[in-house]
Amino acid sequence: KSTFLDLISGLLIPVDGSIKVNEYDINKSLIFKEFWQKMIGYVSQNVILKDDTLISNIAFGEKNLKNLDMVWVNYIIKITGLTAFIESLPRGLNTLVGESGNLLSGGQRQRVGIARALYQKPKILLLDEVTSALDIETAKYVIDSLCNSLPYNITIIAITHNLKNINNFERVFEVKKGKILEKKLRL
């Protein structure tokens, strides 16, 4: 299932067949592939953080942290359920996370990874088991917020084993014995 997301994102090239978006094979043109990948926010199950502050990990790649849109940063912190945690820290967003984020819990690392992906305002958000380290209530809050609270249109493709996380999605597919089948949702 994770390989499926790697194929969709263009990180892997299919051995057989192709990945097409509006009839364009994402792997045929480097220009299209770069365009496609710039629209994607990808959060893997094992989020890797750099040994720096929370804000540097959320706004990853920003050269000047003084020019951040803090309204947006605070909004995505709220959506990811990190507000109370960050407010409890003496240095707040300037708290160091440690090497690979080892000063954070697994669930905190996952939510920082989601916040980092959202910071770029992707049009497509790929989530690979991103609630696996979260308790049921926090997982529900994060998924509900992602599906219902973003102020712009986004396509979310999520891989999960937790069927409680699929209630907000318009279409659900099940991978079974190497085949992808659409599941009918009970509304």
Side-chain angles (χ1 to χ4, degrees):
K1 291 171 261 240
S2 298
T3 303
F4 181 65
L5 291 185
D6 290 343
L7 289 165
I8 289 172
S9 68
L11 292 174
L12 291 177
I13 298 171
V15 175
D16 192 26
S18 60
I19 305 295
K20 292 185 176 184
V21 177
N22 296 333
E23 301 305 315
Y24 294 102
D25 183 335
I26 66 169
N27 294 299
K28 289 287 185 204
S29 161
L30 185 59
I31 293 170
F32 185 76
K33 187 173 190 169
E34 287 175 1
F35 169 77
W36 174 249
Q37 289 178 327
K38 285 180 181 175
M39 292 193 308
I40 295 174
Y42 193 143
V43 187
S44 68
Q45 184 174 0
N46 299 310
V47 173
I48 298 172
L49 301 178
K50 64 181 184 168
D51 188 6
D52 207 335
T53 61
L54 280 166
I55 191 62
S56 292
N57 276 285
I58 292 170
F60 188 76
E62 286 290 336
K63 291 181 176 41
N64 188 351
L65 295 179
K66 292 179 181 165
N67 295 331
L68 296 180
D69 178 353
M70 289 309 295
V71 171
W72 179 242
V73 169
N74 287 321
Y75 191 77
I76 59 177
I77 286 169
K78 179 181 177 196
I79 283 177
T80 55
L82 286 167
T83 304
F85 166 66
I86 291 171
E87 288 175 351
S88 74
L89 301 169
R91 298 195 66 212
L93 283 169
N94 294 310
T95 300
L96 294 172
V97 301
E99 187 175 337
S100 299
N102 66 353
L103 298 177
L104 303 178
S105 71
Q108 290 161 343
R109 277 193 304 273
Q110 284 182 324
R111 290 180 288 156
V112 169
I114 297 168
R116 177 172 52 202
L118 290 175
Y119 177 76
Q120 300 297 330
K121 297 181 181 171
K123 301 222 182 297
I124 302 162
L125 184 61
L126 303 178
L127 305 174
D128 188 1
E129 291 287 355
V130 296
T131 61
S132 62
L134 301 177
D135 62 78
I136 293 168
E137 185 178 307
T138 304
K140 181 178 176 358
Y141 174 84
V142 170
I143 295 298
D144 286 350
S145 296
L146 288 172
C147 292
N148 301 311
S149 299
L150 287 173
Y152 65 96
N153 290 330
I154 187 170
T155 298
I156 300 173
I157 300 173
I159 296 211
T160 184
H161 287 95
N162 185 350
L163 298 180
K164 292 178 182 171
N165 288 341
I166 66 172
N167 293 333
N168 288 301
F169 291 90
E170 292 175 16
R171 297 177 77 185
V172 175
F173 296 89
E174 182 177 22
V175 177
K176 202 171 199 173
K177 297 181 182 178
K179 297 206 184 291
I180 299 174
L181 310 166
E182 186 164 7
K183 279 184 78 108
K184 302 293 180 203
L185 295 177
R186 290 186 211 127
L187 299 177

